[in-house]
Amino acid sequence: MDKAKRKAIIAGNWKMNKTPKEATELLGAIKPLVADADCEVIACVPYVDLAAAVEATAGTNIKIGAENCHWAESGAFTGEISTGMLKEVGAEYVVLGHSERRQYFGETDETVNKRTKAALAAGLKPIVCVGELLWERECNITEEVIARQIKLDLWDVTEEELKNVVIAYEPVWAIGTGKTATADQAEEVCAFIRAQLAKLYNQDAADAVTIQYGGSMNDGNADELLGKVNVDGGLIGGASLVAEKFAAIVKAASK
Ligand code: 13P
């Protein structure tokens, strides 16, 4: 299956930015700029922005996602959010296993897997993030790290469920640093991820998965990154907070 048959997805990951009022304003600015996009457009926003974001994008081609979810349906998990809560508010996607969660909040492949399974069971589409640290790349173990994350994060995810999974390759050293992976580096690891998926499932299933690149992707480098055959989209941090920049990336993915 060639790249053209996969769904290109540009998703903003707003991280801990924008109040509900600001979310409405930003989405209001993004809406007209991406109205004729020929790719899927998603904004993953802080929990408290979800309701405002869903309202602001009703009837448009922008889908809304959250930035995490818990695996339990309810219970004594102070500060956590359930898949049912996300579904009811209108979220369709959820970012899971982001390196900031892994680095600062003790997220492990085991918890990423539990969250992924729960999201899929609830009918949410997880954007599962994997990526190596700079130290790991320098030690030449990028492929080992990625293979392990893919295997563990998707443990017990069925081939049918895989159809609703998006993978984001985000080299940790490229996030928020302005230091983008080269298009060749991004392609190399995205192709490796697809090969791992083919091993765990089969080639057809692997060929159908949208694999995004994330890490300082912007309006200046999106064309080259998205031109690569295994890079099917982007997970955008900083540039997703500026309507024109985000729209330019969406345009690059629409070619
Ligand atoms: P930046 O685009 O700000 O580097 O962030 C990337 C990212 O972490 C998206 O999830």
Side-chain angles (χ1 to χ4, degrees), residues 21-40:
K21 192 163 158 273
E22 291 167 346
T24 301
E25 284 165 13
L26 177 55
L27 288 164
I30 291 173
K31 267 191 293 193
L33 302 180
V34 302
D36 58 359
D38 189 20
C39 66
E40 200 151 316

Side-chain angles (χ1 to χ4, degrees), residues 180-203:
T180 323
T182 64
D184 285 342
Q185 285 172 326
E187 168 64 16
E188 192 182 5
V189 181
C190 289
F192 177 76
I193 291 171
R194 202 174 306 286
Q196 291 307 112
L197 293 173
K199 261 198 215 166
L200 294 173
Y201 297 88
N202 56 65
Q203 194 64 51

Side-chain angles (χ1 to χ4, degrees), residues 13 15 98 100 129 170 174-177 214-217 235-239:
N13 173 11
K15 309 193 179 185
H98 192 278
E100 285 148 18
C129 304
E170 299 209 318
I175 295 176
T177 56
S216 301
M217 195 191 263
L235 186 55
I236 324 297

